[in-house]
Every structure is written in structure tokens, then in C-alpha cells.
Amino acid sequence: MERKRILNTTKLIAAIIVISLIGVPTVSFARARGGGYGGGYSSGSRGGGSYGSMGSRGSRTYDQNGAKPIEQSATPRPSATAPQSAPGSAAPNAQPAPAMQPSFLQRNPLLAGLAAGIAGSYIGHMLFGATDSSARTTDAGEHVGETDTTAGAFSSTGILLILMLLGAGAFYYFLRVRRSPTPDFSGITRSSTFSGTLQAEPSATTLRTAKVDTEVTSADKTAFQQLLIDIQKAWSKQDQAGLRRFVTPEMLAYFSTALAEQTSLDIANHVEDVVLLRADVRETWTEDATHYATVGLRWSARDYTVSLTKQRGEPGYLVEGSEETPTESGEVWTFMRYQNGKWLLSAIQQ
């Protein structure tokens, strides 16, 4: 009876160790693959829409500059974990964390499972062989039976010890492999070891560019003032071809959408007799060969909206504003130009 209990215990422990040998590579492979468990566009002009701030300001599109943040832009938003760069400072070079290299058994779970199965079969053969030999009895008497029992127990104890050593060795091996990854230096370049430089570091999604502050001349300010007048005039005439000469393609798309909505509603917004009151340059910078300038503009103009289905003087003709009284409006406009080309409107912030 004692011999039978020892053999049953040995079988149970052997089965557990075999299952562990098969399962450990599979679990390790799963963790390595799965990563663990797991407008009017403005406050006082171009109608009564609610488009808010829009456009692109290069790498500073989503930076805080005291105006209403950009809400619509073709520029992708930065990741939530990436800190925003302060105006005038270069973005820090982020170094990727070393990647963990999977072990041979993790890369080949099928081979690991087969090896464990073969080892388990061999261990089971040893156990069942020991059981059969120990179960044989003779007619020599009780003395021989006691000798066989002692031999069977000794054999079972030795096999159990071997199994425990194999299990401990397998556990130590996989634990050591998990804690000793091989660093992956494929994403680290020589330039990334120097922080605070203006060297561009390529990325899989974006290309960081050097940002350098530039000066705005009196000729640039005159160009900004003229753009304000020309854009408002083209807007009032619903002249998309004229707008195309003064704005970026992205801004043209926003303007075109707003004009289409006006046409659908049978209304038209007019901004006439524009007089620039103040222009404050807030930011100027260069990214590669593209120059940017963010300017706070304040102007006065006759800003009103009329119905296209009514005649002047009829009730309901004047939808909003006043045809006679000028009103003041203020926005933050960002202009861009390529190299020494002409300035274009690239963003509007209220």
C-alpha cells in the first residue's frame, strides 16, 4: 500500500512538471508577441458660423500662444505622452527604449513543445517501467516483497528528485531569459546622443525640423495688412479663385465649405471698408525652408449678413450686423511662405 501511494504521488508530480515544461514556452511566446496581459470663421467677421480656430502652424500648430487653440487642422496631433515644446526651443531628441529580444524557445514554441513532449514521454516510460518492475512479486515470501518495496520506493524517490531538478532548471532558465534581454540599437542614431542640437532625427511617422526664430520686416507687415484686406474682399464676393491666391490649400478648403453653407442657406456675409487698427507680431520662426509668422490683428469694418432671397429694404433682408456702422474685430492670424516667396494665410485663431 505504501509503495502504491509513493508511485501515485510520483506520477502526479511528473505530470505537473511535464505540463509546465510544455506551457512555459507557450506563455513566454504569448507575452513576447502580445506585450503582456492585458464661418463665419471668426468672432466678428465672415458670418455667424461656429468653425472656431483652424489651419496649420507647422510644428507649433497645437502650442499654446495665448489665442484659442487650433480645433481643425490637417496637421496630426502629437501623442498624449509627448511633452509640448516651448516656443523658440528645439524639440528634445527622444531615445527609444531597448527592445527585448525573444529567446530561441520563444521564437520557436512548436519546437519547444515537441522537446517537452519527448522529455515527458521518456519520463513517463521510466515511471511506468519502474511501476511494472516493482509490481512483480515472487513466491519466496514476505521478505522478498519488502525488498521490492524498498527498491521501488528508492527508485521512485530518485526519479522524483531528477524531475524536481529538471523543473527547477527549466524555471531558472526562463526566468533568466526574461530578465536578461538583448538591447536593440536599431532605433538609436549617433545624433540622438547629443541633446540640444538642431540636427534632425528621422522618425517612422514625422520628421523633426529645426525651428529658428526670424525677424519680421516692415515690408512683411505691409504684406500682412494687404492680405487682411484682400482676403476679406474676396470673401465678401464669394470669390474662391481670388481666395486661392492668398491662402494655403487647407485654408481654402475651410473657406470653400463655409461659402457653400452660405449658398445653401441663401445668405451672404460681407466685410467691407476694412481698416487695420493694430498688428502685434507674436511669433516668428523657420522650419527648414518655410517661414511662419503669427500676428495678432485688430481691424474695423462694416460686417453684415444679408438674405439672397430678399430685396434691399424688404423685411428680413438684413440677417445680421449693420450696413452702415463699422464694428471692431480681432483675431490671431498665422502666415507662411516658402523661402522668399509671398506670404499666405495658413491659420486663424480667435
Side-chain angles (χ1 to χ4, degrees), residues 89-161:
S89 62
N93 293 326
Q95 297 184 5
M100 180 180 297
Q101 295 291 338
S103 65
F104 174 79
L105 294 179
Q106 291 173 334
R107 295 193 304 268
N108 302 274
L110 181 60
L111 294 179
L114 291 175
I118 294 173
S121 300
Y122 178 74
I123 293 173
H125 176 72
M126 293 174 60
L127 291 175
F128 289 117
T131 301
D132 293 339
S133 62
S134 299
R136 290 194 300 268
T137 57
T138 63
D139 296 333
E142 184 179 354
H143 179 71
V144 177
E146 292 178 356
T147 304
D148 289 342
T149 300
T150 304
F154 178 77
S155 176
S156 300
T157 303
I159 293 174
L160 178 61
L161 180 60

Side-chain angles (χ1 to χ4, degrees), residues 130-245:
T131 301
D132 293 339
S133 62
S134 299
R136 290 194 300 268
T137 57
T138 63
D139 296 333
E142 184 179 354
H143 179 71
V144 177
E146 292 178 356
T147 304
D148 289 342
T149 300
T150 304
F154 178 77
S155 176
S156 300
T157 303
I159 293 174
L160 178 61
L161 180 60
I162 293 175
L163 292 176
M164 293 177 64
L165 291 176
L166 288 175
F171 179 77
Y172 173 76
Y173 172 76
F174 288 111
L175 186 64
R176 185 172 180 272
V177 169
R178 295 291 294 177
R179 290 187 176 180
S180 303
T182 303
D184 182 10
F185 298 100
S186 60
I188 302 178
T189 60
R190 183 177 181 272
S191 61
S192 64
T193 59
F194 300 94
S195 60
T197 64
L198 296 178
Q199 293 179 334
E201 182 178 352
S203 172
T205 55
T206 60
L207 181 64
R208 291 179 183 160
T209 55
K211 297 183 292 184
V212 182
D213 290 342
T214 57
E215 295 293 334
V216 172
T217 64
S218 58
D220 295 330
K221 295 179 181 179
T222 301
F224 300 154
Q225 179 180 0
Q226 190 60 44
L227 277 173
L228 171 66
I229 298 173
D230 293 340
I231 290 172
Q232 299 288 23
K233 183 181 298 184
W235 167 268
S236 300
K237 294 180 179 180
Q238 297 189 343
D239 182 9
Q240 296 189 36
L243 287 171
R244 185 178 289 108
R245 299 196 303 268

Side-chain angles (χ1 to χ4, degrees), residues 254-275:
Y254 297 138
F255 282 125
S256 300
T257 301
L259 291 175
E261 292 180 359
Q262 289 189 23
T263 302
S264 177
L265 296 173
D266 285 327
I267 60 175
N269 176 244
H270 296 269
V271 183
E272 301 171 350
D273 298 335
V274 178
V275 178

